[in-house]
Amino acid sequence: MIIRDLEKIDSRDYLSRIRLKNENEHKKRLEEIYEKLPEYKELEDSISTIAFNEVRKRLNKNKQDYSTDYETKISDISAKKIKLLTDHGYAADYLDPIYDCPICQDWGEIDGKVCSCVMKLRIQELYQKSNLFSTLEKENFETFSLEPYSQTKYEDRDLTPYENAERQYNKAKKFVENFETNHGNILMYGETGLGKTFLSNCIAKALLDKGHTVLYLSSNELFEDVLSNYIMSGSHTDKSALEPIYEYIYTSDLLIIDDLGSEVLSSFVKSQLFEIINKRIITNRSTLITTNLSLEVLQDRYTERVMSRIADKYILYPLYGDDIRYHGGKR
């Protein structure tokens, strides 16, 4: 069943807790220094007194009382504070404000734009929302291996299974490298056990690491658990729970539909598949489909209308050879 219980990461609440944690740590450090080095507190108090007196003079607008060496006095005392810390083995910045993200100081925005720290937070969420959190640690470009593929000529193919898998692997790497400028689409097809899901996971991991939105769903999850329940359910609770995932089907940078053909076929499935493929093409969002079915069976099963869009806008990644799952080692 598709993940419904995962909570969307509330970045405001998360950052609020981060700020509170850091403020408490900063307070503990101050208390530590005040206790161990009372003279540090005295220096701070003298800065406060100088600053207060200067402000009062300026509010009274008595320019004759303005201090000409106000900034110099503050600077000299600040230097004494730092020296006191370093002389007692503390870092010069030990009592500086503490931030997990010094760029936005843990507020999540800088100059009206979302900070990179929030993007990192979103990536964590996307790993979970893509249902790939643990799998991607094991199935990625670094762990992919061509070793299980046969280097013997296969049927009437020009390339051996090994050479062909190497070609598809290189295409996948290039797809990721050019993703920012070329949002293409992929159809990986071939019999069971040839590494299609593994290779699609490689792409997913690489794009998630670069901050892109990726939604991974098996064909059965897509049509049965999400679309059927969201579109046909009369329950407001069900719709609310599935709405974020439903929206991701159309708005994610990459949608992966794994094992197309494993779902129960119906007119609903056919119409929804075309709508997803067509809308994502129109909005220039990438889709990756894996299937154990041949191109001929795909056309018979999902109609020529679906296959015409695939033929026009998708790059084909054929995989062939013997089932590699029982060869041991990595894909």
Side-chain angles (χ1 to χ4, degrees):
M1 191 67 176
I2 188 63
I3 46 174
R4 295 190 183 190
D5 298 326
L6 278 176
E7 294 184 359
K8 187 180 190 300
I9 295 176
D10 186 334
S11 59
R12 290 186 180 181
D13 177 68
Y14 176 83
L15 292 172
S16 177
R17 286 185 279 112
I18 290 295
R19 291 195 301 273
L20 180 60
K21 177 203 71 172
N22 289 335
E23 287 168 5
N24 288 336
E25 176 60 25
H26 185 247
K27 183 179 178 181
K28 283 174 58 179
R29 291 187 181 187
L30 279 172
E31 291 172 349
E32 173 193 357
I33 296 300
Y34 289 166
E35 182 180 349
K36 291 184 177 180
L37 305 174
E39 55 268 49
Y40 188 94
K41 181 68 165 59
E42 294 173 3
L43 290 172
E44 280 205 328
D45 289 343
S46 64
I47 289 178
S48 297
T49 300
I50 293 171
F52 175 77
N53 290 336
E54 188 67 20
V55 169
R56 186 175 60 181
K57 292 174 185 178
R58 299 193 179 195
L59 287 175
N60 291 333
K61 298 183 179 179
N62 188 350
K63 294 185 178 181
Q64 292 180 347
D65 291 337
Y66 284 10
S67 175
T68 56
D69 60 348
Y70 164 73
E71 292 183 357
T72 301
K73 289 180 180 178
I74 298 294
S75 179
D76 288 345
I77 297 174
S78 296
K80 290 179 181 178
K81 287 169 57 183
I82 293 175
K83 187 174 186 305
L84 186 61
L85 286 175
T86 55
D87 284 350
H88 287 81
Y90 292 96
D93 62 353
Y94 186 69
L95 291 180
D96 287 355
I98 302 170
Y99 306 115
D100 278 26
C101 178
I103 299 173
C104 69
Q105 298 184 353
D106 299 330
W107 285 98
E109 289 187 2
I110 181 167
D111 297 329
K113 297 181 179 178
V114 177
C115 182
S116 58
C117 68
V118 176
M119 290 301 297
K120 291 177 181 178
L121 198 62
R122 288 285 170 252
I123 290 173
Q124 295 175 25
E125 178 189 344
L126 293 170
Y127 270 107
Q128 295 173 325
K129 203 173 286 294
S130 299
N131 205 18
L132 293 172
F133 190 77
S134 59
T135 304
L136 297 185
E137 296 306 314
K138 298 177 288 186
E139 299 186 3
N140 51 66
F141 282 122
E142 285 67 37
T143 61
F144 187 94
S145 173
L146 295 168
E147 184 179 349
Y149 293 92
S150 171
Q151 299 194 49
T152 303
K153 183 175 175 59
Y154 185 80
E155 297 179 349
D156 59 348
R157 307 280 187 167
D158 292 333
L159 300 177
T160 66
Y162 180 98
E163 293 168 335
N164 176 64
E166 183 178 34
R167 172 180 287 185
Q168 309 315 323
Y169 173 83
N170 290 332
K171 284 162 62 177
K173 292 275 283 186
K174 189 174 182 180
F175 174 82
V176 171
E177 291 168 3
N178 298 332
F179 192 79
E180 280 77 10
T181 56
N182 182 19
H183 296 285
N185 303 286
I186 295 172
L187 174 66
M188 290 186 188
Y189 64 98
E191 295 182 3
T192 303
L194 294 175
K196 299 183 296 296
T197 298
F198 195 114
L199 190 55
S200 69
N201 286 343
C202 294
I203 293 173
K205 173 74 160 60
L207 291 180
L208 283 167
D209 285 347
K210 295 173 87 172
H212 292 288
T213 53
V214 178
L215 179 63
Y216 177 103
L217 294 170
S218 71
S219 183
N220 190 62
E221 286 175 330
L222 173 63
F223 296 112
E224 296 296 324
D225 294 343
V226 180
L227 293 176
S228 180
N229 286 322
Y230 182 82
I231 294 173
M232 298 182 178
S233 175
S235 167
H236 176 72
T237 301
D238 282 352
K239 284 185 179 292
S240 296
L242 289 170
E243 187 170 8
I245 298 175
Y246 179 78
E247 291 178 356
Y248 263 61
I249 291 172
Y250 294 100
T251 62
S252 58
D253 294 334
L254 176 67
L255 170 66
I256 298 178
I257 305 174
D258 190 38
D259 203 11
L260 183 67
S262 62
E263 76 291 338
V264 177
L265 188 62
S266 65
S267 58
F268 174 80
V269 168
K270 293 178 183 179
S271 64
Q272 288 301 309
L273 178 62
F274 177 79
E275 182 178 2
I276 291 169
I277 289 174
N278 195 50
K279 280 189 176 180
R280 291 185 63 84
I281 288 173
I282 292 172
T283 56
N284 199 30
R285 289 182 168 87
S286 296
T287 307
L288 191 164
I289 299 173
T290 74
T291 181
N292 297 332
L293 306 178
S294 67
L295 297 178
E296 294 75 21
V297 173
L298 282 172
Q299 179 161 318
D300 290 341
R301 183 177 173 89
Y302 298 105
T303 74
E304 186 176 347
R305 185 170 71 148
V306 170
M307 287 307 295
S308 66
R309 298 301 278 153
I310 291 177
D312 185 39
K313 296 295 183 179
Y314 280 60
I315 302 299
L316 302 183
Y317 282 54
L319 287 166
Y320 52 81
D322 298 323
D323 191 327
I324 64 173
R325 292 175 298 177
Y326 307 107
H327 286 245
K330 302 172 184 176
R331 296 294 197 291

